[in-house]
Amino acid sequence: MFGREKIEYKTVDQVRTMRRAGLVVADALATVRSAVRPGMTTADLDALAAAVIGDAGATPSFLGYHGYPATLCVSVNDEVVHGIPGTRELLPGDVVSVDCGAIVDGWHGDSAFSFVLPEADAADVALVEATERALWAGIAALATGERLGDVGNAVEDSIEASAATDGVPYGIIEEYVGHGIGTSMHQPPDVLNYRTRERGPRLKPGMCLAIEPMVTRGERFTQVLEDDWTVVTDDGARAAHWEHSVAILEGGIWVLTAPDGGAAKLAELGVTVAPLDV
């Protein structure tokens, strides 16, 4: 449920610094996306992202966070989130979710994407695409909605529409949700990916939020493995995870972790991004 903790509102200059962190994250994920192939290990992906973040003079958000041992979270197939990179080799047809965070001058950026390695199962591709559509529906709701609960409504509506089209009973993970982001990686408010009776706080300029739906091809229930980090589906269903960090500004929204600020995707949804000089 939505917490009652104090929300950290950002100035435009602080948002500009968060944009720099967001672009580092975007570069790291783009590097992983362009290099990944079957036979690579999840640790190989981690090393690629660590090099990009280090070369940019930034700091990984995840490394050392509550003892987390890596730069990325790399989650494969039935792993939903928080998969620890290691010796696991990626195989053809794997569904892979990559989550990355970076810090620039004390401000965080956080983003994730999912993909299917060839030869891809069409149902896995549909899952990944449905989750990405839900992400952008949630982001668009930040521009058009009045309260934070409108994001969860939009995400769930999108997933329900995809489920009807794809003929799959997709499950929306409820235990792990989006969050505020700024001087810390996780801060109030929680950003739910599903509909509730509570409408949540009013959407206001200065809010910076990480929207991150996690969706499965089966039930929504999960458990944590013995490493105390990796979250897997109870029923073994494959999962996908997409995330962007987004700022609400006086002139609209800006997707801090998208290279174009989200302009292209949001234009498809009839939403114009705010002007932000970086």
Side-chain angles (χ1 to χ4, degrees), residues 167-193:
V168 177
Y170 292 129
I172 300 174
I173 302 298
E174 295 187 3
E175 295 89 349
Y176 303 92
V177 298
H179 49 89
I181 186 169
T183 52
S184 58
M185 182 168 56
H186 296 114
Q187 57 185 216
D190 289 343
V191 184
L192 308 185
N193 296 310

Side-chain angles (χ1 to χ4, degrees), residues 83-98:
I84 301 173
T87 59
R88 179 173 185 165
E89 286 193 6
L90 299 176
L91 302 175
D94 278 347
V95 179
V96 185
S97 298
V98 182

Side-chain angles (χ1 to χ4, degrees), residues 22 26 28 39 54 66 74 87 99 104 107 110 118 185 217 222 230 233 252 268:
H66 294 295
V74 184
T87 59
D99 193 357
V104 171
W107 295 88
D110 190 8
M185 182 168 56
R217 281 178 57 185
T222 63
T230 308
T233 58
E268 296 174 5

Side-chain angles (χ1 to χ4, degrees), residues 77-78 80 123-124 127 131 159 163 167-174 214-222 233-240:
N77 294 335
D78 65 331
V80 180
D124 289 333
L127 166 69
T131 309
I159 290 299
V168 177
Y170 292 129
I172 300 174
I173 302 298
E174 295 187 3
M214 303 171 200
V215 180
T216 81
R217 281 178 57 185
E219 298 291 336
R220 66 172 181 83
F221 304 105
T222 63
T233 58
D234 275 0
D235 59 3
R238 292 187 165 194

Side-chain angles (χ1 to χ4, degrees), residues 8 18 31-32 63 73 81 129 144 157 186 202 210 212 277:
E8 177 187 84
M18 291 183 67
T31 298
V32 169
L63 183 62
C73 296
V81 69
E129 292 176 347
T144 60
D157 286 347
H186 296 114
R202 189 172 297 279
E212 54 175 326
D277 297 326

Side-chain angles (χ1 to χ4, degrees), residues 10-59:
K10 286 77 174 177
T11 67
V12 173
D13 283 344
Q14 290 168 340
V15 171
R16 289 192 180 103
T17 303
M18 291 183 67
R19 171 62 168 165
R20 289 165 53 205
L23 288 174
V24 172
V25 172
D27 286 346
L29 292 179
T31 298
V32 169
R33 183 191 286 270
S34 65
V36 66
R37 67 184 71 87
M40 295 183 75
T41 68
T42 53
D44 291 334
L45 305 187
D46 192 71
L48 289 170
V52 172
I53 292 171
D55 288 347
T59 304

